[in-house]
Amino acid sequence: MSELTRRKVLRRSAVAGGAALGAAVPAAGLAQAAAPVRADAARTASAAPAAVTVRPDDIRYPELIRGTNQRWVGSPDYVRLVSSADQVVDAVKEAVAAGKRVAVRSGGHCYENFTTSSDIKVLIDLSQLTAVTYDADLRVFVVEPGAWLSDLYCTLFKQWGVTLPGGSCPSVAAGGHIVGGGYGALSRLFGLTVDHLYGVEVVTVDKDKTVRKVVATRDSADARLRDLWWAHTGGGGGNFGIVTKYLLRTPGATGSDPAHLLPRPPAELLTSTVTWSWDGLTQTGFKRLVKNYADWFVAHGGPDATHLDLFSQLKAAHRSAGAITMVTQLDATRSGARADLDAFVAAVTAGVPVTPEVSTQRLPFLHATKWPGFAGGDPTLRFEDKSAYMRATFPDDQLSAAYHHLTRTDYANPAALLLIAGYGGRVNAVAPDATAVAQRDSVLKLQYLAFWQDAAEDARHLAWVREFYRDVYGASGGVPAPGRVNDGCFVNYADTDLGDPALNTSKTPWHSLYYKDNYPRLQRVKADWDPRGILRHAQSVEPASG
């Protein structure tokens, strides 16, 4: 494989490293809340530019009706670009009064057609809501939903020396990413992004079609408001309301110095790229490599384990790509960092009959957030993605299925892969019902991916991903049903196949794969705050009846 081809594969596969959803945070609601976010925390309605309406005859329309996955292109009557929360209220009022189905998008990274379905007539675009500020009175960081993660990290770090443990794809926006849980390269060390979510400002629609802004926090005296906050700690986009501001502060953080109210990242990170050629990698060697990797994270997956600063992704690309790659980072400033990295690489390599190529680099924190080992993505591509959480190492039948599909000779795609990410650590310090993210004892997170350009090849690539996934989880009905080894799926990697009885024969419904035992509470929040289902998509939470 040429170096140019290898770099292209790494760039294309890296889009999966950021942990993202694009289904933004659409609308829902009921009663007005307590103290609103102060005017000095973000732009005010009077200071915001006027909302912009883009219709099909506008030169901007083709750009605004699609997101990152080029499989999905919408056809709304118009797109409303808003620049304030009040403009969101107005846009929702107008759509509801006209009886037009509405959807909301922040960064456009939805894996399915949740913002592009043909019955969506109004698309509210939050991409101009990009402020990242600090409210000294509330002691919270205020993040608007259109802020890209790259800009969010830059502002938080340069202004206050803090960060969030979010995803690594720079163009993912805060809107859908945070509400789905939000994980990334620092999550083993600091938990999920939602573990630092203090509150949300949300535009909601009640049963009488009244549209209003509501502020819900983890300290809200009203239980319904606390439930609304809780639903946004992993309940997924397009369910409860349109988030116009995220309020962030680490639980238990005290004092008034913002430099101590969110996690402080390592000043520098040690990064590593290890590449194994497929040449000479037998089935036995492949299984040994993947199991070594998984075993390390099983041993270091608890909340009090050592080496929580070490995050890694193993990108097992299809054999046609020529190589399997492992990218890793850890805190370069702590004692023994290089020795620990070498020990990790040695543990993964042990007994593998192919000598890998290894390169390392030491990077300042912000540079590391843009490192192409994790970051990247090509917005011209079409893709399919499926996910899984793992509680334990790979059984042999799963490894056999993975080897089979990654070495199939009837399918060739250098941008097709199984991506295995290290997980757990401080993520697992939180109770399963403390947030809407129920998977709190997993140690690995998986993605089954294929990228391509030509629409005429959709069926071929979709079939490969679906067959791969089905066979790996053949013992549990074609999906990673929660059990001793597997623990369901990640809501930010939306996958409508989970609701197809022909593809999911496990008798575990899609919502249990995402939310497990937290789903009934989410249904009650939906019934309280979006009883009319103003916000809905193919996998939206169904309101509780009665």
Side-chain angles (χ1 to χ4, degrees):
M1 176 174 65
S2 71
E3 180 63 17
L4 178 61
T5 301
R6 190 177 76 85
R7 289 177 180 172
K8 184 182 295 184
V9 171
L10 289 175
R11 283 198 305 273
R12 290 182 175 181
S13 64
V15 70
L21 173 78
V25 196
L30 201 71
Q32 178 71 337
V37 178
R38 289 159 172 73
D40 62 351
R43 73 194 75 197
T44 62
S46 60
V52 175
T53 300
V54 175
R55 301 186 186 277
D57 59 351
D58 193 301
I59 190 174
R60 296 166 289 186
Y61 186 81
E63 175 68 29
L64 296 175
I65 60 172
R66 69 187 70 215
T68 299
N69 190 344
Q70 295 306 301
R71 288 172 59 200
W72 312 120
V73 181
S75 57
D77 293 348
Y78 61 88
V79 179
R80 180 69 54 81
L81 289 117
V82 296
S83 297
S84 73
D86 288 342
Q87 291 175 10
V88 175
V89 172
D90 292 341
V92 175
K93 283 181 178 178
E94 180 181 325
V96 171
K100 293 179 179 289
R101 184 177 169 194
V102 64
V104 182
R105 182 181 64 208
S106 52
H109 281 255
C110 189
Y111 288 7
E112 294 285 2
N113 71 337
F114 295 173
T115 65
T116 57
S117 177
S118 60
D119 59 342
I120 294 169
K121 301 304 178 185
V122 177
L123 179 62
I124 300 176
D125 187 304
L126 306 178
S127 62
Q128 305 305 295
L129 289 168
T130 59
V132 178
T133 58
Y134 177 69
D135 185 314
D137 293 325
L138 294 177
R139 297 192 309 118
V140 295
F141 294 89
V142 181
V143 175
E144 291 185 333
W148 283 16
L149 294 184
S150 57
D151 296 328
L152 171 61
Y153 299 149
C154 186
T155 301
L156 288 176
F157 187 71
K158 287 185 176 180
Q159 292 291 322
W160 302 285
V162 298
T163 194
L164 285 168
S168 56
C169 185
S171 61
V172 168
H177 180 70
I178 294 177
V179 77
Y183 86 100
L186 294 177
S187 287
R188 282 174 40 81
L189 189 59
F190 298 127
L192 300 177
T193 297
V194 292
D195 297 339
H196 305 270
L197 182 64
Y198 175 76
V200 285
E201 178 186 83
V202 194
V203 174
T204 65
V205 187
D206 68 16
K207 62 182 179 181
D208 298 322
K209 299 185 180 180
T210 301
V211 183
R212 69 190 78 200
K213 286 184 295 184
V214 174
V215 176
T217 76
R218 61 177 175 241
D219 293 335
S220 294
D222 186 316
R224 292 175 61 255
L225 288 171
R226 287 198 307 276
D227 280 349
L228 182 61
W229 160 79
W230 178 87
H232 286 88
T233 62
N239 279 316
F240 313 103
I242 302 178
V243 175
T244 50
K245 294 180 180 69
Y246 287 104
L247 314 180
L248 295 144
R249 186 203 317 138
T250 299
T254 59
S256 58
D257 184 352
H260 299 292
L261 300 181
L262 280 179
R264 297 179 65 82
E268 294 180 292
L269 290 158
L270 186 62
T271 65
S272 166
T273 302
V274 182
T275 305
W276 294 267
S277 172
W278 267 107
D279 292 338
L281 196 59
T282 63
Q283 180 174 4
T284 300
F286 169 83
K287 288 183 176 182
R288 181 67 181 265
L289 171 61
V290 176
K291 194 169 187 305
N292 284 348
Y293 183 86
D295 287 348
W296 192 94
F297 284 99
V298 170
H300 297 84
D304 300 316
T306 57
H307 309 315
L308 295 185
D309 60 319
L310 190 151
F311 174 76
S312 181
Q313 294 175 345
L314 183 66
K315 302 177 184 182
H318 187 272
R319 191 181 188 96
S320 58
I324 292 174
T325 302
M326 181 176 73
V327 287
T328 305
Q329 75 169 41
L330 72 164
D331 182 354
T333 67
R334 67 170 177 79
S335 175
R338 182 54 192 259
D340 287 342
L341 176 61
D342 291 344
F344 170 68
V345 173
V348 176
T349 303
V352 179
V354 173
T355 301
E357 296 180 8
V358 182
S359 64
T360 59
Q361 189 175 14
R362 185 168 174 146
L363 297 171
F365 169 67
L366 278 183
H367 280 70
T369 64
K370 300 177 179 65
W371 180 50
F374 296 137
D378 185 341
T380 70
L381 296 176
R382 310 165 76 82
F383 65 87
E384 171 70 353
D385 182 294
K386 297 183 178 298
S387 71
Y389 289 94
M390 292 191 72
R391 289 169 148 162
T393 195
F394 289 90
D396 190 67
D397 62 326
Q398 292 189 2
L399 292 172
S400 295
Y403 179 81
H404 167 69
H405 287 282
L406 290 170
T407 59
R408 281 171 53 176
T409 57
D410 62 338
Y411 177 82
N413 178 5
L417 70 155
L418 168 62
L419 188 151
I420 310 169
Y423 198 64
R426 298 308 296 172
V427 173
N428 293 342
V430 178
D433 60 353
T435 67
V437 179
Q439 291 87 357
R440 293 294 187 164
D441 63 0
S442 293
V443 295
L444 295 167
K445 186 175 279 192
L446 277 59
Q447 290 179 270
Y448 299 77
L449 289 150
F451 299 89
W452 66 97
Q453 286 185 319
D454 189 352
E457 296 183 351
D458 283 3
R460 181 170 73 94
H461 296 294
L462 287 170
W464 180 80
V465 177
R466 286 169 173 162
E467 291 164 8
F468 189 172
Y469 197 69
R470 175 202 65 197
D471 290 351
V472 168
Y473 303 111
S476 56
V479 297
R484 184 186 65 82
V485 173
N486 307 309
D487 203 24
C489 305
F490 181 36
V491 68
N492 268 7
Y493 299 153
D495 179 8
T496 57
D497 284 351
L498 298 176
D500 185 339
L503 299 172
N504 175 3
T505 62
S506 71
K507 295 184 172 57
T508 303
W510 64 265
H511 52 77
S512 293
L513 292 169
Y514 288 143
Y515 304 119
K516 300 175 63 178
D517 293 340
N518 287 337
Y519 188 62
R521 185 176 177 185
L522 291 170
Q523 288 185 288
R524 293 193 294 272
V525 178
K526 179 74 169 180
D528 271 350
W529 294 96
D530 187 17
R532 288 181 169 271
I534 299 299
L535 293 176
R536 61 188 185 277
H537 52 70
Q539 288 185 330
S540 53
V541 172
E542 290 291 327
S545 58

